[in-house]
Amino acid sequence: MINATDRSGKCLFTNAYQSALFDKSPDEMVGRDFTTFLDTTQADNSNRRNTIVLKSGQPIPHYEEKINSDGVQLIFHCNKSPLLNHKGETIGVLTTAVDITARKFAEEHRTHLALHDMLTGLPNRVLLAEKVREAIDICLRENSQSALLLLDLDRFKVINDTRGHHSGDTLLREVAERLSNIIGAKDFASRIGGDEFAIILNEIDGADSINSRCTKILKAINEPYSISGMEQVIGASIGVSLIPHDGVEYEEVLRLADLAMYDAKANGRNCHRFFSEGMNQIAQADAALENELRDALSQEQFALEYQPIVDAKTLEYVGLEALIRWDHPSRGRLLPVQFIRVADDTGLMDHMGKWVIAEVCRQIRTSADEGVDLPRVAINISPRQFQNQNVCDEILKNIKLHNIEPSKIVVEITEELLLDNNEHVSNSLNRLRRHGVGISIDDFGTGYSSLQYLRDLPANCLKIDRTFVSRIEHSAADRAIIGTISHLAHALDMRVIAEGVENDAQLELLQVSGVDEIQGFKIARPQRAENLKKLFDQQRYTNRSAEG
């Protein structure tokens, strides 16, 4: 687009592209005041720039101008330069402009993609950071309050694993749409990765307002979804940090909302929790403990103890359960309850789990070389180990490496693992059973206790949780539950182990309830590895004496 005007603003020349934008021919425009073809704002801007060029004799490069043509807004990259005669005198202004509409559209599109999630169309983490910082500035300036909500879908992985990623993506888009529809006009929603969303609630009026808004958000998410013709229900856990009360830095308020969200998950899921300073103290303690655990792994501070399992009738040793212990350099020998949660959350459980598998197999081999034939040893396998490593390969590799019978190993799993990873777990457990490894379902009765899992999975043992055993003396209902579990397990050709047996009364009641094996302090406390030879030597001596 090219045009030239004289000092009075009359058109001296225009090219065909320029005149076509105004639906004129070049001849119709030459000799007329050029500003008559422009709207008022454009005319004023053109006159102002022309005046600068005529007075200074210097060009004005690189400015953008928007022009409407047939209802379409075009964007031009423009330059104005002095128009000189043969004497070098400025006699007018030469304006050139390049149509950059397509380029600007592409740039805006790229900017949109850089700031938005491609799957849901919601703003992404980059734009969230910008909006949180804006909210912090406004709150500090106006003495107001906002809230950052971090929302994580509960058990979304189950949907991805069982229904496929296409169904998972469909669900995420519907969740995003519901969030967009329920938040206020001044609020902000984004997807920041995976099944995690963030919401900024602006202009809030105290905790009651936030509670009400969170309840509405959860209610909207809890409504059933139709995914590929099937109904799906899902929940969410929400963590809340207050701006500026909890922090005045983006990274800090996000971190605190994240802590609160994990607290919501730990307190039953499908709820919301506000950040509290206690959470921060726990997080700091966990971070310190994580560093100590890493040192413990590298410095070989872990050890195993073995708790005996006996036959309910003869009280002879028929098994052991391997229990990890941490020989802390300053706090002494620590139990799993003091460090397992942090190990699991940080991924260190993967390394610890591999070590336990290898150490159990090594101990069975070492005992055999010393003339002690240990009974089967149960190893607790966490859900995380099944998710992050090939447990089958790890177990079978160590069985072969230490040349032990596969039947010497029992894998203990929890009902939560069965729910979250049904198909994957089923395939893995079937493979282990085909090789002769035992499968035990731990803490039975406290989780989901699906009879379908008992029917379809190759478990050959159920472990009744200690909570039922602890009440058996005073609760007819618990005695009935234990009896029913025993009857059911025997019908499915499984053994039943009762754990947490601590006195004679519990032992006698369990013996008549049909339980096959007993474990607990009444029988024996966990034994250090170096005591196993002595323990089983005593049993052999007792057995020989009884036979004599």
Side-chain angles (χ1 to χ4, degrees):
M1 191 169 72
I2 305 172
N3 70 76
T5 55
D6 63 15
R7 297 187 71 91
S8 65
K10 289 182 179 180
C11 182
L12 298 174
F13 166 82
T14 181
N15 68 346
Y17 184 75
Q18 169 82 84
S19 57
L21 286 177
F22 300 114
D23 198 24
K24 305 287 184 183
S25 68
D27 291 341
E28 289 177 293
M29 296 183 66
V30 171
R32 295 180 57 181
D33 186 339
F34 193 83
T35 58
T36 60
F37 303 110
L38 307 174
D39 63 34
T40 303
T41 301
Q42 290 172 337
D44 290 343
N45 287 337
S46 181
N47 285 332
R48 177 175 55 80
R49 292 185 178 112
N50 285 351
T51 299
I52 293 172
V53 172
L54 292 170
K55 284 185 175 181
S56 67
Q58 299 296 318
I60 300 177
H62 313 316
Y63 67 91
E64 290 184 6
E65 191 89 78
K66 295 179 180 178
I67 296 178
N68 289 313
S69 177
D70 293 331
V72 177
Q73 188 179 73
L74 303 177
I75 305 174
F76 290 87
H77 181 81
C78 306
N79 296 274
K80 283 185 179 290
S81 304
L83 184 65
L84 307 178
N85 62 14
H86 66 285
K87 297 179 181 180
E89 300 169 336
T90 301
I91 60 171
V93 178
L94 177 67
T95 304
T96 61
V98 177
D99 187 344
I100 59 170
T101 307
R103 192 186 83 193
K104 292 293 288 186
F105 177 80
E107 289 175 354
E108 290 173 2
H109 183 61
R110 284 196 298 270
T111 300
H112 178 85
L113 292 179
L115 298 176
H116 290 76
D117 169 50
M118 292 184 66
L119 176 65
T120 64
L122 287 178
N124 62 14
R125 185 183 290 268
V126 176
L127 195 51
L128 171 69
E130 180 181 321
K131 293 297 182 180
V132 170
R133 291 183 178 109
E134 285 181 10
I136 292 171
D137 290 342
I138 292 172
C139 288
L140 292 175
R141 186 171 63 250
E142 300 180 359
N143 195 28
S144 58
Q145 190 176 58
S146 295
L148 176 62
L149 278 54
L150 205 61
L151 182 152
D152 188 84
L153 300 180
D154 296 331
R155 302 196 181 283
F156 176 74
K157 186 178 185 300
V158 178
I159 296 173
N160 260 349
D161 290 347
T162 59
R163 303 283 301 279
H165 288 278
H166 175 73
S167 296
D169 289 348
T170 301
L171 180 62
L172 289 172
R173 282 192 289 266
E174 291 201 24
V175 169
E177 184 176 353
R178 292 187 188 185
L179 291 178
S180 298
N181 291 336
I182 199 169
I183 64 173
K186 296 183 179 181
D187 299 331
F188 176 86
S190 66
R191 179 188 178 217
I192 58 177
D195 59 341
E196 200 167 38
F197 298 81
I199 299 170
I200 303 173
L201 300 180
N202 290 308
E203 299 183 2
I204 57 175
D205 185 20
D208 289 343
S209 171
I210 300 173
N211 286 330
S212 175
R213 304 276 295 277
C214 287
T215 300
K216 288 180 181 178
I217 290 170
L218 289 174
K219 183 179 179 182
I221 291 175
N222 292 160
E223 292 293 325
Y225 300 81
S226 179
I227 309 293
S228 302
M230 296 179 63
E231 189 173 278
Q232 182 73 54
V233 178
I234 198 166
S237 300
I238 300 176
V240 183
S241 61
L242 302 179
I243 301 171
H245 179 271
D246 291 330
V248 291
E249 297 289 340
Y250 162 68
E251 291 80 5
E252 182 69 358
V253 294
L254 183 67
R255 182 182 72 85
L256 301 185
D258 191 56
L259 289 176
M261 183 269 290
Y262 277 102
D263 188 60
K265 283 192 177 294
N267 282 275
R269 306 176 188 255
N270 202 39
C271 61
H272 71 278
R273 287 288 186 274
F274 287 83
F275 166 76
S276 67
E277 187 54 39
M279 295 177 193
N280 212 11
Q281 293 171 357
I282 292 172
Q284 291 174 0
D286 286 352
L289 186 60
E290 178 185 353
N291 290 331
E292 289 186 287
L293 280 169
R294 293 187 187 279
D295 291 339
L297 281 166
S298 63
Q299 297 170 18
E300 299 181 352
Q301 294 175 4
F302 292 105
L304 291 182
E305 291 183 354
Y306 297 85
Q307 185 165 33
I309 302 170
V310 300
D311 182 277
K313 295 178 180 177
T314 67
L315 300 186
E316 291 184 354
Y317 298 123
V318 293
L320 297 166
E321 180 180 1
L323 304 170
I324 192 168
R325 300 291 188 255
W326 179 8
D327 288 327
H328 194 282
S330 61
R331 297 165 62 190
R333 180 156 281 203
L334 302 183
L335 300 179
V337 69
Q338 297 169 282
F339 60 86
I340 281 294
R341 178 185 60 81
V342 173
D344 208 40
D345 289 345
T346 58
L348 294 174
M349 193 64 224
D350 297 347
H351 304 288
M352 292 167 59
K354 286 184 177 181
W355 177 83
V356 170
I357 292 170
E359 183 65 12
V360 166
C361 293
R362 187 198 64 79
Q363 184 61 54
I364 294 173
R365 177 73 267 154
T366 299
S367 296
D369 292 342
E370 294 174 349
V372 178
D373 183 24
L374 294 182
R376 66 180 190 271
V377 181
I379 302 173
N380 291 282
I381 303 293
S382 74
R384 186 181 183 95
Q385 284 176 266
F386 266 97
Q387 294 165 4
N388 295 353
Q389 57 185 258
N390 195 325
V391 172
C392 285
D393 287 347
E394 196 68 28
I395 293 173
L396 297 176
K397 177 186 72 175
N398 278 280
I399 286 174
K400 183 178 180 179
L401 176 66
H402 295 284
N403 191 27
I404 62 175
E405 289 296 322
S407 59
K408 291 289 186 181
I409 300 296
V410 175
V411 170
E412 285 199 0
I413 59 175
T414 62
E415 294 169 347
E416 179 184 0
L417 173 66
L418 301 180
L419 181 71
D420 285 348
N421 303 274
N422 187 15
E423 184 177 355
H424 171 64
V425 170
S426 179
N427 292 337
S428 299
L429 297 183
N430 274 297
R431 183 182 169 203
L432 288 172
R433 285 295 292 135
R434 286 195 301 270
H435 282 81
V437 176
I439 307 296
S440 176
I441 300 177
D442 198 10
D443 300 334
F444 188 79
T446 60
Y448 306 95
S449 305
S450 170
L451 298 182
Q452 179 182 341
Y453 294 136
L454 294 185
R455 182 196 67 191
D456 296 340
L457 290 176
N460 58 343
C461 181
L462 291 184
K463 223 174 192 185
I464 299 175
D465 187 70
R466 65 182 64 247
T467 55
F468 296 109
V469 174
S470 66
R471 299 190 296 251
I472 193 172
E473 297 172 74
H474 311 290
S475 170
D478 285 289
R479 290 195 294 273
I481 289 172
I482 291 174
T484 301
I485 292 174
S486 299
H487 182 75
L488 173 63
H490 292 153
L492 295 172
D493 198 25
M494 297 183 189
R495 298 189 320 279
V496 180
I497 301 176
E499 62 179 350
V501 182
E502 296 184 353
N503 58 50
D504 290 330
Q506 291 174 351
L507 174 60
E508 291 170 5
L509 288 169
L510 289 168
Q511 286 173 323
V512 299
S513 70
V515 167
D516 300 296
E517 298 172 6
I518 302 293
Q519 177 181 356
F521 286 176
K522 168 60 185 171
I523 304 303
R525 290 181 175 272
Q527 305 290 311
R528 294 185 179 232
E530 56 267 28
N531 295 334
L532 292 179
K533 187 177 188 302
K534 180 180 178 182
L535 182 72
F536 287 97
D537 279 346
Q538 287 177 341
Q539 175 167 286
R540 283 202 301 272
Y541 176 78
T542 302
N543 289 343
R544 285 197 301 269
S545 297
E547 291 171 2

